Amino acid sequence: HVKHWEVKNNMGKNREIINLIKLGLKEKGMSRKELADKIGCTPRTLYYWFAENRSISVDMADKALMILGKEAKVGNKEERIRK
């Protein structure tokens, strides 16, 4: 699941999280609809995330990654401490 909560608007990190979700779906043999039902969103929302039309929220990323047994680091604790 997501380790740090100091999220920045970073499309590279969003893409990394979406790729982890895609990998988890494949490894678990789970459909997008099944995942959407489990995390409380619509399949269309997943489509928007996967097409990079919208960024995934930290809460939704955390739910999805936890269900799929994946983990991602979001943000940099050192940067937050220095500011």
Side-chain angles (χ1 to χ4, degrees), residues 3-6 11-12 16 19 23 27 39 42 49-50 52 57 59 62 66-67 71-72 74-75 77:
K3 282 184 155 184
H4 299 294
W5 298 100
E6 55 274 5
M11 287 308 291
E16 179 182 328
N19 286 339
L23 178 63
E27 289 175 352
I39 65 174
T42 65
W49 294 339
F50 286 16
E52 296 184 29
S57 71
D59 289 339
D62 193 49
M66 220 181 306
I67 287 166
E71 193 171 281
V74 178
K77 196 172 188 175

Side-chain angles (χ1 to χ4, degrees), residues 32-34 36-37 41-49:
R32 290 180 184 188
K33 181 173 179 356
E34 289 174 303
D37 289 344
C41 73
T42 65
R44 182 176 297 272
T45 299
L46 284 179
Y47 168 81
Y48 288 139
W49 294 339

Side-chain angles (χ1 to χ4, degrees), residues 6-71:
E6 55 274 5
V7 177
K8 297 177 182 175
N9 187 8
N10 183 329
M11 287 308 291
K13 184 54 72 174
N14 189 67
R15 186 175 302 115
E16 179 182 328
I17 290 169
I18 293 303
N19 286 339
L20 280 172
I21 291 171
K22 287 178 181 179
L23 178 63
L25 286 172
K26 184 176 181 178
E27 289 175 352
K28 294 222 178 239
M30 185 183 294
S31 72
R32 290 180 184 188
K33 181 173 179 356
E34 289 174 303
L35 179 61
D37 289 344
K38 288 179 185 255
I39 65 174
C41 73
T42 65
R44 182 176 297 272
T45 299
L46 284 179
Y47 168 81
Y48 288 139
W49 294 339
F50 286 16
E52 296 184 29
N53 291 332
R54 295 188 185 152
S55 294
I56 189 169
S57 71
V58 172
D59 289 339
M60 289 302 219
D62 193 49
K63 286 179 186 179
L65 293 172
M66 220 181 306
I67 287 166
L68 298 170
K70 298 293 178 190
E71 193 171 281

